């Protein structure tokens, strides 16, 4: 997990593809607030705004966050994760929403999962502890992120093993050509071994 103004690598890749096609697009990545990663592979992004920002600012942030998480999804697909879906969040102050983003045929669909509010005082904390909805949602999102991380790590390990096999094959040749020749020895006389 990396927080603070950091550049999303996946968004830089999208910019590079656009630059190849349209030749007039800057290739810097987008700044994000909180990104979950597994090694160098980005898994999801969360965006935060201070309490009291305008509705239009929140809409712009949400659209940006959808595009950024879609870029992450494209990188996950390129890294070998099959049919990935992403859970992400947009927050204003202590309140926000969790969303899921998934491919559907040839488009991406963003669904609202749940509204959440973090407690600001003892009364809200007591209500939260009685309800438990926030905890269930956060656990669901974290389990999903962990599942993506596991898939990414498994694909990376499989790719690493394949690269090692390819290297050994280049160095030592394939297993078929390196088998020793079959020895067939015939004796000119009968051999009898006595006890």
């Amino acid at each position: 997990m990396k927080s603070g103004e950091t550049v999303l690598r996946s968004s830089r890749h999208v910019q590079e593809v656009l630059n190849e096609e349209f030749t007039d697009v800057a290739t810097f990545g987008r700044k994000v607030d909180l990104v979950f990663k597994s090694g160098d592979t980005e898994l999801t992004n969360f965006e935060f705004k201070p309490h009291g920002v305008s509705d239009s600012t929140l809409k712009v942030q949400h659209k940006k966050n959808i595009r950024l998480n879609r870029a992450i999804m494209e990188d996950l697909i390129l890294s070998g994760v099959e049919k990935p879906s992403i859970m992400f969040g947009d927050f204003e102050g202590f309140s926000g929403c969790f969303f899921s983003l998934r491919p559907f045929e040839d488009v991406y669909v963003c669904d609202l999962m749940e509204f959440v509010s973090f407690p600001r005082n003892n009364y809200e904390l007591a209500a939260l502890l009685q309800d438990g909805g926030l905890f269930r949602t956060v656990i669901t999102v974290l389990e999903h992120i962990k599942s993506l991380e596991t898939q990414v790590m498994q694909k990376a390990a499989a790719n690493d093993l394949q690269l090692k096999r390819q290297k050994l094959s280049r160095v030592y040749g394939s297993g078929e050509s390196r088998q020793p020749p079959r020895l067939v020895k015939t004796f000119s006389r009968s051999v009898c071994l006595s006890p």
Side-chain angles (χ1 to χ4, degrees), residues 17-98:
V17 169
L18 290 173
N19 193 33
E20 286 176 13
E21 188 171 337
F22 298 107
T23 66
D24 195 19
V25 178
T27 56
F28 57 87
R30 297 285 182 188
K31 289 186 177 181
V32 297
D33 294 329
L34 176 66
V35 62
F36 287 82
K37 299 172 98 177
S38 175
D40 288 337
T41 304
E42 296 154 342
L43 303 174
T44 187
N45 178 57
F46 285 63
E47 288 292 317
F48 299 88
K49 290 292 182 204
H51 178 70
V53 298
S54 68
D55 290 352
S56 63
T57 300
L58 289 176
K59 286 179 184 177
V60 168
Q61 171 185 285
H62 180 61
K63 291 175 185 177
K64 170 190 168 190
N65 205 6
I66 291 172
R67 289 191 307 271
L68 293 174
N69 280 292
R70 185 185 178 284
I72 290 172
M73 190 178 293
E74 291 296 322
D75 268 8
L76 288 171
I77 291 169
L78 288 175
S79 69
V81 176
E82 295 177 18
K83 298 182 182 179
S85 65
I86 293 181
M87 293 181 181
F88 65 95
D90 279 321
F91 294 90
E92 176 207 5
F94 287 95
S95 300
C97 297
F98 285 111

